[in-house]
């Protein structure tokens, strides 16, 4: 081998040694990169990926958001739903010679689990036949089992009470104030289960029963609409609790329609007609 060939061989060996040295220096870095890629691979392989959203999931989420954005129903709507199962339609027949009319109607409310019905005495007084209709459609004749003439309150018991009755929740009128919301549910002019709303206009009023000379003290005055057929029905607070029994109206004319002043016997007094002391 001549001197020129030996020199080239030495140069090539030197470059090879340099390449090998560089590879050795880069081996730890390459190993780290490989190890990181290996860890990432196994992480994606072993960790459970979240389920993909379906169209049903999206629709359910949208419906939930829309429901939460829908305002709650009015208090009056809630009150109506609460009292409606306890409301009674009362129809009477008068077949005696002194009867002013052959037929009459009013309202009542179931107040206990025995099916006792509170109403106004003038609705059923002197009636030859008393027919009551419950919220489930059950109809039955009924009889007066107790009365409180000085408060125009009567308690009825149906001959055929439904197997299941829904008594109303009795409230406390003493916790009410002038200006509080007041709701009336009854059967004005025979329009079954109608509702009107207003406020409490006053307390401790004296109501004079037309044609009787009877004066009833301690009445609740309201401006919620009251008309013939509402008598005996419940006066309710915003929670749907009965705070009174509708008795009548004041009208400066000879007409019997409502002009803005109605009266109710406080329920704390009305329950005395059931033989229970006021609470």
């Amino acid at each position: 081998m001549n001197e020129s060939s030996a020199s080239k061989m030495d140069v090539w060996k030197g470059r090879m040694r340099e390449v090998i040295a560089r590879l050795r220096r880069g081996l730890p870095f390459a190993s780290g990169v490989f190890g990181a890629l290996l860890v990432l691979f196994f992480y994606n392989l072993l960790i459970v990926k979240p389920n993909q959203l379906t169209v049903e999931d999206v629709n359910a989420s949208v419906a939930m958001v829309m429901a939460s954005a829908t305002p709650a129903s009015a208090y009056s709507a809630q009150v109506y739903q609460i009292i409606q199962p306890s409301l009674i339609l009362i129809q009477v027949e008068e077949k005696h010679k002194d009867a002013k009319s052959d037929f009459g109607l009013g309202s009542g409310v179931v107040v206990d689990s025995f099916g006792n019905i509170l109403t106004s005495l003038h609705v059923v007084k002197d009636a030859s036949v008393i027919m009551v209709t419950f919220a489930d459609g059950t109809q039955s004749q009924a009889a007066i089992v107790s009365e409180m003439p000085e408060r125009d309150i009567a308690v009825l018991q149906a001959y055929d009470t439904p197997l299941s009755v829904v008594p109303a929740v009795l409230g406390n009128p003493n916790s009410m104030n002038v200006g509080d919301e007041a709701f009336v549910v009854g059967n004005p002019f025979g329009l079954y289960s109608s509702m009107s709303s207003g406020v409490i206009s006053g307390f401790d009023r004296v109501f004079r029963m037309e044609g009787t000379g009877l004066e009833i003290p301690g009445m609740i005055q309201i401006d919620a609409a009251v008309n013939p057929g509402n008598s005996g029905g419940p006066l309710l607070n915003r929670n749907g609790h009965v705070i009174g029994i509708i008795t009548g109206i004041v009208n400066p004319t000879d007409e019997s329609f409502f002009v803005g002043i109605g009266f109710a016997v406080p329920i704390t007094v009305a329950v005395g007609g059931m033989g229970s002391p006021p609470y």
Side-chain angles (χ1 to χ4, degrees), residues 82-83 86 110-111 166-171 236 239-243 267 279:
I82 291 171
I83 195 60
S86 307
V110 178
V111 291
V166 182
V169 177
L170 306 185
L236 306 145
N239 297 314
H241 300 167
V242 179
I243 58 171
I267 194 64
Y279 61 98

Side-chain angles (χ1 to χ4, degrees), residues 39-256:
V39 170
L40 183 62
F41 171 78
F42 281 105
Y43 176 83
N44 289 324
L45 182 65
L46 299 177
I47 300 300
V48 178
K49 295 182 180 180
N51 294 328
Q52 297 295 319
L53 286 176
T54 64
V55 174
E56 289 77 11
D57 293 333
V58 174
N59 290 338
S61 298
V62 171
M64 185 178 299
V65 171
M66 293 298 293
S68 64
T70 303
S73 58
Y75 280 111
S76 54
Q78 299 176 43
V79 169
Y80 183 83
Q81 294 298 323
I82 291 171
I83 195 60
Q84 203 277 330
S86 307
L87 187 68
I88 298 293
L89 169 65
I90 300 175
Q91 298 168 289
V92 300
E93 293 183 32
E94 294 187 38
K95 298 180 179 180
H96 51 87
K97 63 178 182 178
D98 296 326
K100 294 182 180 179
S101 62
D102 294 333
F103 300 95
L105 57 87
S107 304
V109 60
V110 178
V111 291
D112 60 26
S113 58
F114 297 104
N116 284 310
I117 301 166
L118 271 181
T119 188
S120 292
L121 179 59
H122 75 266
V123 172
V124 294
K125 185 179 180 181
D126 299 326
S128 302
V129 177
I130 302 173
M131 182 70 67
V132 295
T133 303
F134 291 84
D136 67 351
T138 299
Q139 289 187 318
S140 172
Q141 288 194 38
I144 299 173
V145 295
S146 179
E147 59 183 62
M148 188 188 297
E150 70 277 13
R151 298 288 184 173
D152 190 37
I153 291 295
V155 181
L156 307 180
Q157 181 62 247
Y159 296 151
D160 184 16
T161 301
L163 294 177
S164 176
V165 294
V166 182
V169 177
L170 306 185
N172 181 11
N174 297 323
S175 66
M176 306 296 291
N177 298 293
V178 172
D180 281 345
E181 294 156 301
F183 303 94
V184 173
V185 180
N187 311 296
F189 302 107
L191 300 172
Y192 178 72
S193 194
S194 298
M195 183 178 207
S196 62
S197 64
V199 298
I200 293 178
S201 304
F203 293 96
D204 296 323
R205 306 303 197 199
V206 176
F207 176 62
R208 295 171 177 83
M209 294 283 292
E210 182 181 358
T212 65
L214 176 64
E215 293 187 350
I216 307 176
M219 302 288 278
I220 301 173
Q221 179 188 339
I222 57 172
D223 73 348
V226 173
N227 285 289
N230 278 121
S231 292
L235 173 66
L236 306 145
N237 62 18
R238 68 185 303 177
N239 297 314
H241 300 167
V242 179
I243 58 171
I245 299 296
I246 299 299
T247 299
I249 61 175
V250 168
N251 189 327
T253 73
D254 293 331
E255 304 296 331
S256 60

Side-chain angles (χ1 to χ4, degrees), residues 21-38:
R22 288 181 179 179
L23 289 176
R24 288 177 177 175
R25 287 196 299 268
L27 184 61
F29 174 77
S31 300
V33 171
F34 178 77
L37 292 174
L38 191 63

